């Protein structure tokens, strides 16, 4: 099962969809135009069922195979949303919307899954049902969680689910994967320190929150260096430090710190949350200040299931003609995690070649990767539900 010839024929059409999505980026759940075009195309292909409004603006398409002797159902997922970023590629198909761009390649993911859906509708060379899932709001909104909360898995009886992301730095036509924890849990925190503001020339009459917050920032470094097992992974980054004053002669009453926490295991996540709260409160208390912690748990760890990881890697190897490399976990987040909490499945990375990294304003999806991605999506259906 190398790259399917049909995708070489469909490449111009799929590329045109991809570039149309790229020119018209939409954020989070507001992917109305994108979802509308996805649904229209799916209906045109002859999907047996197309349902919109799953997880607010998600789209689900159902394709029945030539036969269905075992009642098997395989789900394939792509994300549709873009990022709040000003594009600088200068490409002819660059974003037409100021301050928004497809800087993560979700335009490519959506186009490739549409290409696979078109092929699967034409051929139906499998025994069972393929469900194509187009989700909104991967970039922080939890669109995958919302689609699951709408009962998607049970409604279509999905037994296994597979997803994919492009990866700059990996050669086009190659794939990478790992079993187990693959993408990190992504939490965020806000620490508000309350002291006693006053004149900068009379520090002894104040409780200087800038100094307190500086101690908190330094002490937070010990979560990774002193609290978590060195063989386990954690990131604690303070990314914002805002005092309540911009003057040269005022000691501010409050300081707000913000940051992110990335972990790959539940116990490490709980430990980090507990330590951040204790460090903030105890450090503040030592200086006579008070700390308030707001800790928001984001996406959970995305865990690839062992058996399904093998299936995904085997199809990728057949498509690429080279072995699928095993890579270390990434500390980024991925809300496909919610789908993998509900059903067995796997998530794979596909090479995007030597491009700028995702979330960079110079990034662009490489259209020459389209036949590989389409072949992998379609190949997963044909391999997991071989024609009777
Ligand atoms: Ni992405």
């Amino acid at each position: 099962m190398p790259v399917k010839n049909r995708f070489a024929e469909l490449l111009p059409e799929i590329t045109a969809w991809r570039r149309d999505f790229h020119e018209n980026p939409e954020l989070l759940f507001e992917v109305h135009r994108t979802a509308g075009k996805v649904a229209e195309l799916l209906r045109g292909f002859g999907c047996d069922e197309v349902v919109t409004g799953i997880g607010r603006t998600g789209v689900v398409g159902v394709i029945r195979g030539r036969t269905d002797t075992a009642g098997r159902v395989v789900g394939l997922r792509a994300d549709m949303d873009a990022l709040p970023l000003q594009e600088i590629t200068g490409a002819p198909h660059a974003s037409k919307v100021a301050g928004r761009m497809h800087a993560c390649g979700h335009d490519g993911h959506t186009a490739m899954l549409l290409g696979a859906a078109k092929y699967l509708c034409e051929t139906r060379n499998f025994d069972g049902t393929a469900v194509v899932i187009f989700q909104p709001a991967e970039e922080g909104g939890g669109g995958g969680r919302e689609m699951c909360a709408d009962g998607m898995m049970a409604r279509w009886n999905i037994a296994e689910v597979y997803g994919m992301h492009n990866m700059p730095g990996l050669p086009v036509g190659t794939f990478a994967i790992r079993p187990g924890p693959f993408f990190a849990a992504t939490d965020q925190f806000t620490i508000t320190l309350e002291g006693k503001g006053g004149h900068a020339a009379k520090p002894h009459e104040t409780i200087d929150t800038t100094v307190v917050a500086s101690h908190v920032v330094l002490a937070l470094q010990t979560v990774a260096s002193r609290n978590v097992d060195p063989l386990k992974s954690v990131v604690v980054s303070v990314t914002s430090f805002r005092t309540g004053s911009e003057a040269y002669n005022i000691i501010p009453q409050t300081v707000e710190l913000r940051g992110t926490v990335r972990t790959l295991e539940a116990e490490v996540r709980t430990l980090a949350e507990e330590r951040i709260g204790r460090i903030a409160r105890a450090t503040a208390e030592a200086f006579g200040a008070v700390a308030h912690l707001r800790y928001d748990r984001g996406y959970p760890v995305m865990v690839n299931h062992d058996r399904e990881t093998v299936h995904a890697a085997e199809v990728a190897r057949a498509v690429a003609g080279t072995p699928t490399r095993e890579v270390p976990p990434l500390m980024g987040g991925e809300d496909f995690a919610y789908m993998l909490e509900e059903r067995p499945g796997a998530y794979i990375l596909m090479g995007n070649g030597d491009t700028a990294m995702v979330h960079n304003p110079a990034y662009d999806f490489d259209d020459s990767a389209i036949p590989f991605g389409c072949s992998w999506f379609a190949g997963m259906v044909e391999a997991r539900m071989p024609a009777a």
Side-chain angles (χ1 to χ4, degrees):
M1 184 211 304
V3 170
K4 295 178 187 300
N5 292 332
R6 181 67 178 128
F7 291 120
E9 294 164 16
L10 291 174
L11 183 56
E13 188 179 4
I14 300 170
T15 301
W17 300 334
R18 203 287 288 183
R19 294 185 176 187
D20 176 67
F21 293 135
H22 194 89
E23 285 181 21
N24 299 281
E26 296 175 298
L27 303 181
L28 295 167
F29 288 99
E30 304 301 312
V31 291
H32 301 291
R33 180 189 182 277
T34 309
K37 175 161 177 164
V38 165
E40 185 189 318
L41 284 168
L42 291 176
R43 289 190 190 104
F45 301 156
C47 276
D48 298 287
E49 199 182 332
V50 178
V51 182
T52 59
I54 304 296
R56 289 156 71 177
T57 40
V59 182
V60 171
V62 177
I63 306 161
R64 295 200 185 89
R66 231 181 268 287
T67 54
D68 187 10
T69 56
R72 300 178 54 91
V73 183
V74 169
L76 304 172
R77 170 274 203 178
D79 38 18
M80 298 188 286
D81 56 322
L83 283 160
L85 200 62
Q86 180 63 43
E87 178 163 355
I88 60 165
T89 64
H93 56 271
S95 170
K96 294 195 291 199
V97 187
R100 279 189 211 168
M101 73 173 286
H102 269 291
C104 205
H106 298 184
D107 49 344
H109 306 162
T110 298
M112 291 188 294
L113 186 52
L114 283 168
K118 177 163 182 156
Y119 164 89
L120 290 169
C121 283
E122 287 172 359
T123 54
R124 298 184 187 260
N125 193 24
F126 55 95
D127 182 52
T129 302
V131 175
V132 287
I133 301 163
F134 296 86
Q135 79 151 77
E138 194 288 318
E139 300 286 0
R145 180 186 59 222
E146 295 302 308
M147 292 189 87
C148 288
D150 267 358
M152 173 179 73
M153 295 297 179
R155 178 167 171 182
W156 283 285
N157 217 3
I158 295 167
E160 295 171 26
V161 65
Y162 296 92
M164 177 213 290
H165 207 292
N166 76 93
M167 184 50 71
L170 270 184
V172 169
T174 67
F175 293 84
I177 198 168
R178 69 172 290 103
F182 196 0
F183 279 64
T186 55
D187 301 341
Q188 56 192 41
F189 62 85
T190 305
I191 298 169
T192 308
L193 295 155
E194 182 113 29
K196 183 181 169 196
H199 200 293
K202 291 176 173 287
H204 58 293
E205 292 177 7
T206 71
I207 295 170
D208 187 346
T209 44
T210 304
V211 172
V212 178
S214 300
H215 279 275
V216 171
V217 171
L218 292 177
L220 288 177
Q221 309 310 309
T222 63
V223 176
S225 68
R226 303 290 88 177
N227 298 141
V228 172
D229 182 337
L231 296 178
K232 297 186 174 179
S233 300
V234 66
V235 175
V236 179
S237 292
V238 175
T239 55
S240 168
F241 187 128
R242 284 179 17 206
T243 74
S245 166
E246 289 182 10
Y248 289 96
N249 59 355
I250 296 170
I251 288 173
Q253 178 87 8
T254 60
V255 169
E256 187 188 89
L257 302 174
R258 293 183 182 183
T260 186
V261 178
R262 308 295 173 103
T263 51
L264 293 171
E265 290 178 40
E267 314 86 78
V268 178
R269 189 183 200 185
T270 301
L271 175 67
E273 179 176 357
E274 189 270 322
R275 288 301 301 152
I276 288 167
R278 191 193 282 240
I279 286 168
R281 281 187 286 272
T283 305
E285 203 211 332
F287 291 97
V290 176
H292 303 282
L293 172 71
R294 185 187 154 139
Y295 192 97
D296 295 311
R297 288 195 167 210
Y299 297 164
V301 181
M302 193 196 75
V303 183
N304 267 348
H305 296 243
D306 289 348
R307 260 183 12 158
E308 287 69 22
T309 300
V310 172
H311 300 322
E314 277 173 1
V315 171
R317 181 182 52 76
V319 169
T322 56
T324 304
R325 68 177 85 173
E326 184 166 324
V327 286
L330 299 164
M331 298 311 276
E334 171 50 76
D335 92 337
F336 188 60
Y338 292 103
M339 298 193 191
L340 290 183
E341 282 189 338
E342 293 215 350
R343 292 293 187 271
Y347 187 80
I348 199 165
L349 300 176
M350 183 190 70
N352 199 55
D354 188 20
T355 63
M357 186 40 72
V358 291
H359 294 214
N360 180 292
Y363 168 86
D364 195 11
F365 181 81
D366 187 336
D367 292 319
S368 68
I370 285 173
F372 297 97
C374 290
S375 297
W376 181 79
F377 273 133
M380 286 312 303
V381 168
E382 293 178 350
R384 296 302 299 142
M385 302 185 290

